[in-house]
Amino acid sequence: MQENNISAGNLEQCLKCNLCTLVCPMMAVNAHYPGPKKAGPDGERYRLKDPQYYDYALKYCLNCKRCEVACPSGVMVGDIIQAARLRYAGHNLRDWALANTDLVGSLASPFAPVVNGVLGLKPVKSLMHAFMGVDSHRTFPSYSARRFTSWMRRQDQGGFDKFVSFFHGCYVNYNYPQLGKDLVRLVNAAGYGVHLLEKEKCCGVALMSNSMGAQARRQGEINLASMRKAIAAGEDILTVSSTCTFTMRDEYPHVLALENAEVRPHLMLLSKWLYQKMESGEVSLRFRRDLHLKIAYHTSCHMQKLGWRNFTLELLRKIPGVELVEMDQQCCGIAGTFGFKKENYAYSQAIGGRLFDEIGAARVALGAQSDPGFVVCTECETCKWQIEMSTGVPVMNPVSILAMALE
Amino acid sequence: MKEFDVIVVGGGITGAATARDCAMRGLSTLLIERSDICDGASGRNHGLLHSGARYAVTDKEGAEECIRENRILRRIASNCVEPTGGLFITLPGDSLEYQENFVRCCRDAGIDAVPISPKEALRLEPAVNPELIGAVKVPDASVDPFRLTDANIIDAMQHGATILKFHTVTGFVRNNGRVCGVRVTKPGVIRSQEIRARMVVLAAGIWTAGLIREAGINIGMLPSKGALVIFGHRVAGMVINRCRKPSNADILVPGDVVSVLGTTSDKVPFEGIDDMRATPEEVDLLLREGVSLVPALSHTRIIRAYAGVRPLVMADSDGDGRSVSRGIVVLDHEQRDGVPGLITITGGKLTTCRLMAEMVTDAVCAKLGVKAVCETALRPLPGSGKAHKDDEEVPYFKRAAIGRHGTEVSRMDFDLGHEIICECEQVTRAEIKYAVKTLGVRNISDLRRHTRIGMGTCQGSFCIKKVAAVLAEELGEPLREKEFIDEYLQERWKGITPVFWGDSLREAEYMQRTHKDEI
Ligand SMILES: Cc1cc2nc3c(=O)[nH]c(=O)nc-3n(C[C@H](O)[C@H](O)[C@H](O)COP(=O)(O)OP(=O)(O)OC[C@H]3O[C@@H](n4cnc5c(N)ncnc54)[C@H](O)[C@@H]3O)c2cc1C
Ligand code: SF4
Ligand code: SF4
Ligand code: SF4
């Protein structure tokens, strides 16, 4: 009479094989973290009985989804944990400030030089350490004086007959407009014009990991509504960050219960879009021969979950002067706002340790010990902060590398 | 052995509650159980702490007993009872007049039954069939039969009772017609042993019928089989009943972390009562009916199916066995059959165990001339009381134990035993140690009854070797590991085979591969 067993997050599919436990980066460094199986399908049975079984140690989950990638039974381990945190955990002021990337971003941006100066100053940092619990080892990503959107509105995209929409994300808008400009250059070179979405809000990933689900949901609805309009006008929606992309494609339906089936196939990272256009012959780009770069590619956790790294790798290989090493897939340990919190700093660095060693090994493999042309390439901006802070190696988004290589 | 005031035969909930009451009244008490505590009907039922609503229309007296005992058990056994509340739902095709009458009868019996709108019912319990046309809220609750029985046993011991497990009563010691003790055997020993007592109470459930023939007495009993299905997690938070004449598969009970759907009711011959299994046909029938209560059951993973036997007692006046007494039956065999020294207690329900114990202990005390009054309703059972599990300071490995054993966790040593042995049910070494020490276990099935080890969705595939090793270590019998595993897996297969499909089948294949030597 019964054929299939399906329940929220596929919790019942779990065979208790513990493969997820083996790959969890947090589990490896933190004895307080119960691990994906216990925090996910096992814990969920108890939480369904009584929310009092909610374990505060779930705050340690990086939401890296490596457990989900590993699970042979299709259990959405990370989603179950993420949903539990939204339902059961409270939050404090510091979590609120770190999570509201839009708000803090928009407050800080006009005063960027001041903010950057102040956030970097020792006494202020230790104040934040003491009062807000932001670790004083962290340098805050610097805020840019001019937003990407104000630059973009002044760009003339009138000369095109085909368009894409660009979901730029908070990082491009407030911290690093250049990455957005790089995308516009590439897309224009491919023969497409770039539109902004009618309305764009932060995807909400930081809100979710800090247990502010209702606000994340509202923002998600606004984003999806704008995207539907763009799709109706025949436009794909391109992104540059693996986390925003993953959040809007997978966390919206699985964790926030936001229906996005019509949007999903049109929402993608630039590299996937460009690779497909070039493969089909619709677009051809010419790359410089004189760009000599030695690149160690780091698959960010959400990139691994998206399963798209080959698109990026293939595009990079098309640049004549590039030497490329793909590193073992390891978590960098920062996981969005996680690593910014004082109590997590040590875990964050311990997890990242294996990746930092990988980077050192890649440098040797590329024979680039003293080469200024050595970079790490990844789609995730929080990985960028973590790797640059911890290893001093510059980190570039593949979009910037590709734009730099344009003839 | 010395002569006892009273011997209680049977370590189900009735025997356990009786031993507690007798011991609390100062009688020297011995309880004899042929197997483990709770290995009869008490370990194979639905776990519903009846509000009495189910009986309100047909059996007012039974309903009144239930609601009274329901209130008492919530108070004295807070770690065994979960006050989930219950709903009686009326579906299209059922009669709303029945519902009206039902509410009236509940109120006559003193049960707080509140009719609510279908919308309100869906708000309270989103899992109910959204097509419902009426709903009534009642004070049903979920009770863990293993824990309740254990708590009674522990309290009995704390009041001086002796518990003799794994000993079978085979006959009675007689003197001039009077029963003045029992004959007992234990496994591996051919000669039986005599143990004397001033009174013998038979609380052996359905097995009473066979045993009492040894005293030349006949009680008309009929075994009635009830099959149930366990789903892997909580589908609904409240007890959900169908508001109609009681019938098959019309109750879903949230039991601990699972959901239990039941039951059927079929008369079966005595031959099979020691090895009751649910059949695939019964599982099908249960599912068919169950999905109309809660549609999500159609795609929720089933972990196993099981069956228990209700002892139905025929009214003495009735020769052809058609009219069956549903209430509590206390038989004074001196009065009834001219055999002094022997009393039988049977019938009733898990819900009314305390009352049954009170009634039979009153009878025993009257025979022995003891004046002590019953205090079982006033004193909390071990484990009852406030124990917090939602404090940020309480580590995860302790929370499940608190949920199960309440204040008894203070007797567990987590400093040395915080390692989790059974992951699905989060059972630690500390909890195993506690069960071995206070309740005496002989194998993993016993351990399961007292801790939930292996009751989770993996049914032991993942943890069983660990459990066997720890148990062997705690019992000091390192050579028995393999035997432990064999016994346990055989027992679990019994419950898994009737539900061989979907994820249960995948899990079973996995179990078979990891333990291919044992199965
Ligand atoms: C399917 C089903 C569902 C039920 N659901 C509910 C419910 O939801 N709520 C509720 O309140 N009630 C329920 N009941 C009723 C309840 O389970 C029983 O009334 C109760 O468990 C009976 O307990 P007992 O101790 O009298 O019998 P048992 O639990 O059967 O105990 C008898 C004990 O005697 C032992 N024994 C037998 N022979 C000997 C011997 N020769 N020597 C020594 N020991 C011996 C047996 O091993 C056994 O442990 C249900 C019953 C069934 C069958
Ligand atoms: S999402 Fe990452 S950190 Fe969280 S449980 Fe899964 S593997 Fe571990
Ligand atoms: S990998 Fe999947 S099936 Fe295995 S224990 Fe983890 S969640 Fe369960
Ligand atoms: S993932 Fe993107 S949109 Fe989301 S918080 Fe980060 S930068 Fe903002």
Side-chain angles (χ1 to χ4, degrees), chain A residues 3-14:
Chain A
E3 301 263 311
N4 296 310
N5 310 134
I6 323 130
S7 50
N10 283 354
L11 96 101
E12 328 205 87
Q13 246 87 339
C14 175

PDB file of all heavy atoms in Angstrom, chain A residues 3-14:
ATOM      1  N   GLU A   3       4.293   3.086  -1.113  1.00  0.00           N
ATOM      2  CA  GLU A   3       5.371   2.879  -2.068  1.00  0.00           C
ATOM      3  C   GLU A   3       6.595   3.666  -1.638  1.00  0.00           C
ATOM      4  O   GLU A   3       7.706   3.170  -1.571  1.00  0.00           O
ATOM      5  CB  GLU A   3       4.936   3.378  -3.450  1.00  0.00           C
ATOM      6  CG  GLU A   3       3.710   2.675  -3.976  1.00  0.00           C
ATOM      7  CD  GLU A   3       4.081   1.561  -4.915  1.00  0.00           C
ATOM      8  OE1 GLU A   3       4.889   1.815  -5.802  1.00  0.00           O
ATOM      9  OE2 GLU A   3       3.569   0.441  -4.742  1.00  0.00           O
ATOM     10  N   ASN A   4       6.381   4.942  -1.358  1.00  0.00           N
ATOM     11  CA  ASN A   4       7.499   5.813  -1.033  1.00  0.00           C
ATOM     12  C   ASN A   4       7.308   6.427   0.329  1.00  0.00           C
ATOM     13  O   ASN A   4       6.204   6.589   0.794  1.00  0.00           O
ATOM     14  CB  ASN A   4       7.561   6.959  -2.042  1.00  0.00           C
ATOM     15  CG  ASN A   4       7.840   6.433  -3.406  1.00  0.00           C
ATOM     16  OD1 ASN A   4       8.767   5.668  -3.589  1.00  0.00           O
ATOM     17  ND2 ASN A   4       7.010   6.817  -4.361  1.00  0.00           N
ATOM     18  N   ASN A   5       8.398   6.784   0.939  1.00  0.00           N
ATOM     19  CA  ASN A   5       8.344   7.524   2.180  1.00  0.00           C
ATOM     20  C   ASN A   5       8.990   8.878   1.942  1.00  0.00           C
ATOM     21  O   ASN A   5      10.171   8.966   1.688  1.00  0.00           O
ATOM     22  CB  ASN A   5       9.113   6.793   3.279  1.00  0.00           C
ATOM     23  CG  ASN A   5       8.711   5.336   3.390  1.00  0.00           C
ATOM     24  OD1 ASN A   5       9.554   4.469   3.491  1.00  0.00           O
ATOM     25  ND2 ASN A   5       7.431   5.063   3.354  1.00  0.00           N
ATOM     26  N   ILE A   6       8.209   9.917   1.980  1.00  0.00           N
ATOM     27  CA  ILE A   6       8.774  11.249   1.786  1.00  0.00           C
ATOM     28  C   ILE A   6       8.336  12.103   2.964  1.00  0.00           C
ATOM     29  O   ILE A   6       7.159  12.161   3.282  1.00  0.00           O
ATOM     30  CB  ILE A   6       8.241  11.952   0.525  1.00  0.00           C
ATOM     31  CG1 ILE A   6       8.053  10.949  -0.591  1.00  0.00           C
ATOM     32  CG2 ILE A   6       9.139  13.105   0.126  1.00  0.00           C
ATOM     33  CD1 ILE A   6       6.716  11.020  -1.251  1.00  0.00           C
ATOM     34  N   SER A   7       9.269  12.773   3.578  1.00  0.00           N
ATOM     35  CA  SER A   7       8.888  13.696   4.631  1.00  0.00           C
ATOM     36  C   SER A   7       9.806  14.897   4.543  1.00  0.00           C
ATOM     37  O   SER A   7      10.754  14.890   3.766  1.00  0.00           O
ATOM     38  CB  SER A   7       9.027  13.018   5.989  1.00  0.00           C
ATOM     39  OG  SER A   7      10.294  12.435   6.070  1.00  0.00           O
ATOM     40  N   ALA A   8       9.542  15.914   5.358  1.00  0.00           N
ATOM     41  CA  ALA A   8      10.299  17.153   5.252  1.00  0.00           C
ATOM     42  C   ALA A   8      11.796  16.885   5.301  1.00  0.00           C
ATOM     43  O   ALA A   8      12.284  16.212   6.202  1.00  0.00           O
ATOM     44  CB  ALA A   8       9.894  18.088   6.380  1.00  0.00           C
ATOM     45  N   GLY A   9      12.521  17.400   4.317  1.00  0.00           N
ATOM     46  CA  GLY A   9      13.972  17.231   4.305  1.00  0.00           C
ATOM     47  C   GLY A   9      14.410  15.794   4.080  1.00  0.00           C
ATOM     48  O   GLY A   9      15.555  15.460   4.283  1.00  0.00           O
ATOM     49  N   ASN A  10      13.482  14.926   3.686  1.00  0.00           N
ATOM     50  CA  ASN A  10      13.791  13.500   3.489  1.00  0.00           C
ATOM     51  C   ASN A  10      14.386  12.870   4.734  1.00  0.00           C
ATOM     52  O   ASN A  10      15.231  11.996   4.651  1.00  0.00           O
ATOM     53  CB  ASN A  10      14.804  13.306   2.353  1.00  0.00           C
ATOM     54  CG  ASN A  10      14.135  13.464   1.018  1.00  0.00           C
ATOM     55  OD1 ASN A  10      12.924  13.610   0.947  1.00  0.00           O
ATOM     56  ND2 ASN A  10      14.921  13.460  -0.040  1.00  0.00           N
ATOM     57  N   LEU A  11      13.939  13.292   5.897  1.00  0.00           N
ATOM     58  CA  LEU A  11      14.604  12.838   7.119  1.00  0.00           C
ATOM     59  C   LEU A  11      14.547  11.329   7.288  1.00  0.00           C
ATOM     60  O   LEU A  11      15.431  10.719   7.864  1.00  0.00           O
ATOM     61  CB  LEU A  11      14.027  13.573   8.338  1.00  0.00           C
ATOM     62  CG  LEU A  11      12.920  12.948   9.171  1.00  0.00           C
ATOM     63  CD1 LEU A  11      13.564  12.358  10.408  1.00  0.00           C
ATOM     64  CD2 LEU A  11      11.913  13.984   9.587  1.00  0.00           C
ATOM     65  N   GLU A  12      13.493  10.715   6.763  1.00  0.00           N
ATOM     66  CA  GLU A  12      13.351   9.278   6.984  1.00  0.00           C
ATOM     67  C   GLU A  12      14.198   8.444   6.051  1.00  0.00           C
ATOM     68  O   GLU A  12      14.353   7.255   6.265  1.00  0.00           O
ATOM     69  CB  GLU A  12      11.928   8.847   6.736  1.00  0.00           C
ATOM     70  CG  GLU A  12      10.952   9.874   7.077  1.00  0.00           C
ATOM     71  CD  GLU A  12       9.652   9.231   7.387  1.00  0.00           C
ATOM     72  OE1 GLU A  12       9.460   8.866   8.544  1.00  0.00           O
ATOM     73  OE2 GLU A  12       8.857   9.066   6.475  1.00  0.00           O
ATOM     74  N   GLN A  13      14.726   9.075   5.003  1.00  0.00           N
ATOM     75  CA  GLN A  13      15.570   8.315   4.094  1.00  0.00           C
ATOM     76  C   GLN A  13      16.878   7.926   4.766  1.00  0.00           C
ATOM     77  O   GLN A  13      17.617   7.121   4.264  1.00  0.00           O
ATOM     78  CB  GLN A  13      15.872   9.160   2.857  1.00  0.00           C
ATOM     79  CG  GLN A  13      15.277   8.601   1.592  1.00  0.00           C
ATOM     80  CD  GLN A  13      13.860   9.086   1.404  1.00  0.00           C
ATOM     81  OE1 GLN A  13      13.192   9.499   2.342  1.00  0.00           O
ATOM     82  NE2 GLN A  13      13.383   9.050   0.179  1.00  0.00           N
ATOM     83  N   CYS A  14      17.160   8.543   5.889  1.00  0.00           N
ATOM     84  CA  CYS A  14      18.457   8.340   6.540  1.00  0.00           C
ATOM     85  C   CYS A  14      18.632   6.888   6.970  1.00  0.00           C
ATOM     86  O   CYS A  14      17.822   6.332   7.681  1.00  0.00           O
ATOM     87  CB  CYS A  14      18.604   9.255   7.741  1.00  0.00           C
ATOM     88  SG  CYS A  14      20.105   8.945   8.662  1.00  0.00           S
TER      89      CYS A  14
END
